Amino acid sequence: MPIAWNGPNQGKLRKALLETYQDIRRLKRFATDNFEHSLSDIGGANPEDWAEDLIAKAVAEGWINDLYQKFCTSHSNQPRIAQLQEALGDTFLDKSLIEQATSDESIGLPNSSNIVARIPALEALIEDPHSAYLVIAVFGEKPSEQTFRVQPKLCYRDTEIDKSFQASLGEGSYSVALKAFPVFLKQLVGLTFTALAKCVPNPLQPWRLTIALFVPIDLLCLPLAKWCDQDSELLTSYPLVLGCSDRFDPNKPDIAADLHNKLNLGWQRFQARVRDGLTLQNLDWLDSDVAHQESFQAYSGFRCYGHWLKPGDQHLENWRRLIRSGIPLALWMCEGQPPRQTIAATFDRLTDGTTFELLHRIPLIRDEQQLTCNHRIGILYEDPNYVPEVPRSAEAQIFRWLGT
């Protein structure tokens, strides 16, 4: 049975909201980031009154289940969410995302019937149990023709047995031209949801998919539109983040070993500054304004306010320097160049929360940008728990996995 949103149950939801968002600014940001409904008529100068009015409005207008679900999904790794669901006797399910994905007949990748080849993933893979990662590794194949060797895989956690898995997708390796990549990527996302539906037929909540696209250093400066089209729904429906495939390229073992081990050092700095529950604003951020005079190895995050990370050969060395530093998180405007204050406000919105909240906000902010301006937020986010495949023969001598 659905949740009965009577007075006591509304009070339980309000209490959980206030325990999570302890000031009114963060509570309002959660609401505006997640809902298109007009919130201007909600009053209250303190979090308690504002939360009460928010719930009352959601009940009156019929979107209280959506409010509850978005709240639980955003913080499903927190014990208080499990306590809230138990207290409410939660049986509210929304399978629309899975149903929509699995009914899509446009999947054009070969052998889609053989997509479920599960192997236990790295034990270091710790993530929100309703999150999945589509990891796409792109390696050079025919540079003169802009054709690449592409290796996709799926990472997810099966909550019933509490284990992390990787699932192969289709053939496992493809040759794709850059001009055809947007269509390929859209088909791959459809195939991913088909794989999830086969691996976990009845998920408790809809999957939240992050697309992690690993490309060579010299391609990192391409606009996102090159990978998924300027007006692609992928930009505004899923977090799409970039990583560097040169860290894992079996054809470049020396550079791969160096870059990967530096990434591990970068993540050690990152985790020392941002433990579970702390916001990304606690990171040691290096701003592009002073990048020329600073040692990158002292920082855990990078914010670009100008043309420091832009397409073209003149900025390629900047990308190389960023990747060699091991900094695992960088923010920039990959298309267009808004005023500095606009960039700063966007960065503040992205980093006023945990790593999980960062990923949740990326498509919401890109959706706003697509409607209002000509620029997009770019995210370099390299989590070593989600990486392309590496050759087994090289793994022992080259790669040092985090936590092992």
Side-chain angles (χ1 to χ4, degrees):
M1 295 291 292
I3 295 171
W5 288 108
N6 51 29
N9 282 346
Q10 291 182 35
K12 294 170 185 175
L13 175 57
R14 182 173 66 253
K15 179 181 178 182
L17 282 168
L18 293 172
E19 288 176 348
T20 302
Y21 303 105
Q22 298 181 6
D23 65 74
I24 193 168
R25 180 174 58 90
R26 294 194 65 198
L27 176 59
K28 286 183 176 181
R29 179 166 294 167
F30 159 73
T32 55
D33 280 354
N34 284 279
F35 303 104
E36 298 178 353
H37 309 282
S38 173
L39 305 176
S40 59
D41 56 340
I42 297 180
N46 57 62
E48 292 82 2
D49 292 343
W50 207 90
E52 185 173 357
D53 287 355
L54 174 67
I55 293 172
K57 180 180 177 69
V59 170
E61 297 181 359
W63 46 278
I64 182 64
N65 280 332
D66 193 23
L67 171 64
Y68 167 69
Q69 183 191 14
K70 291 285 180 59
F71 172 58
C72 290
T73 302
S74 298
H75 304 282
S76 57
N77 60 314
Q78 296 183 6
R80 69 167 62 93
I81 297 302
Q83 295 167 2
L84 173 64
Q85 292 173 320
E86 182 178 357
L88 294 176
D90 181 8
T91 58
F92 175 69
L93 300 176
D94 181 0
K95 299 186 178 67
S96 60
L97 184 60
I98 295 296
E99 290 170 353
Q100 177 183 357
T102 56
S103 64
D104 184 359
E105 298 179 356
S106 64
I107 299 172
L109 297 175
N111 292 342
S112 60
S113 61
N114 297 323
I115 54 180
V116 187
R118 306 204 302 177
I119 57 173
L122 302 168
E123 290 304 315
L125 182 65
I126 302 298
E127 180 59 283
D128 171 1
H130 302 293
S131 290
Y133 276 67
L134 170 58
V135 178
I136 307 167
V138 176
F139 302 101
E141 186 174 58
K142 298 179 181 178
S144 61
E145 301 176 15
Q146 287 196 299
T147 301
F148 310 108
R149 176 169 50 89
V150 181
Q151 295 178 331
K153 72 173 182 178
L154 170 64
C155 299
Y156 69 97
R157 178 173 289 275
D158 189 330
T159 54
E160 290 189 6
I161 58 177
D162 195 30
K163 276 189 174 293
S164 299
F165 288 94
Q166 298 173 7
S168 60
L169 295 171
E171 296 289 340
S173 184
Y174 301 88
S175 179
V176 183
L178 180 58
K179 63 182 180 181
F181 200 90
V183 174
F184 173 82
L185 181 58
K186 182 178 180 180
Q187 293 175 342
L188 198 59
V189 170
L191 188 62
T192 296
F193 280 110
T194 300
L196 285 170
K198 288 180 178 290
C199 294
V200 187
N202 298 298
L204 295 178
Q205 294 184 23
W207 292 98
R208 289 175 55 182
L209 178 67
T210 294
I211 302 172
L213 179 62
F214 288 81
V215 301
I217 292 177
D218 58 352
L219 298 181
L220 281 168
C221 55
L222 287 182
L224 292 178
K226 287 287 188 180
W227 300 107
C228 60
D229 281 341
Q230 182 68 36
D231 298 322
S232 173
E233 292 184 1
L234 295 181
L235 277 176
T236 58
S237 300
Y238 310 103
L240 191 156
V241 297
L242 294 178
C244 177
S245 63
D246 285 338
R247 300 189 191 279
F248 318 102
D249 193 339
N251 295 322
K252 303 176 182 177
D254 293 334
I255 187 176
D258 181 58
L259 293 179
H260 189 89
N261 289 330
K262 285 182 178 177
L263 177 62
N264 274 339
L265 293 176
W267 265 95
Q268 289 172 14
R269 298 195 303 267
F270 185 102
Q271 291 183 320
R273 297 291 299 183
V274 183
R275 298 179 180 86
D276 290 344
L278 295 180
T279 75
L280 294 175
Q281 291 182 349
N282 289 349
L283 272 183
D284 294 313
W285 288 100
L286 171 62
D287 291 347
S288 57
D289 303 25
V290 295
H292 63 285
Q293 62 189 34
E294 294 290 331
S295 170
F296 277 39
Q297 282 68 26
Y299 296 89
S300 307
F302 185 86
R303 292 181 294 208
C304 180
Y305 286 99
H307 293 276
W308 204 85
L309 295 175
K310 295 289 286 185
D313 292 340
Q314 68 183 104
H315 302 287
L316 181 56
E317 184 53 38
N318 291 339
W319 276 104
R320 288 175 176 151
R321 187 180 179 194
L322 175 66
I323 298 303
R324 286 195 298 261
S325 72
I327 289 178
L329 178 60
L331 311 174
W332 77 100
M333 293 297 170
C334 56
E335 297 163 62
Q337 194 60 41
R340 182 187 175 94
Q341 59 269 28
T342 301
I343 299 175
T346 302
F347 289 171
D348 286 343
R349 288 179 62 190
L350 280 167
T351 59
D352 187 19
T354 64
T355 304
F356 297 153
E357 290 170 318
L358 164 79
L359 295 175
H360 181 54
R361 288 171 182 162
I362 291 171
L364 300 175
I365 290 177
R366 285 182 180 149
D367 189 29
E368 296 175 9
Q369 292 175 328
Q370 185 164 295
L371 296 173
T372 60
C373 57
N374 66 344
H375 51 265
R376 301 284 181 276
I377 183 71
I379 312 288
L380 178 91
Y381 177 57
E382 298 193 275
D383 188 338
N385 288 325
Y386 300 95
V387 298
E389 298 286 358
V390 297
R392 293 185 179 276
S393 60
E395 185 173 340
Q397 62 187 20
I398 294 179
F399 300 103
R400 301 292 181 265
W401 299 109
L402 199 63
T404 62

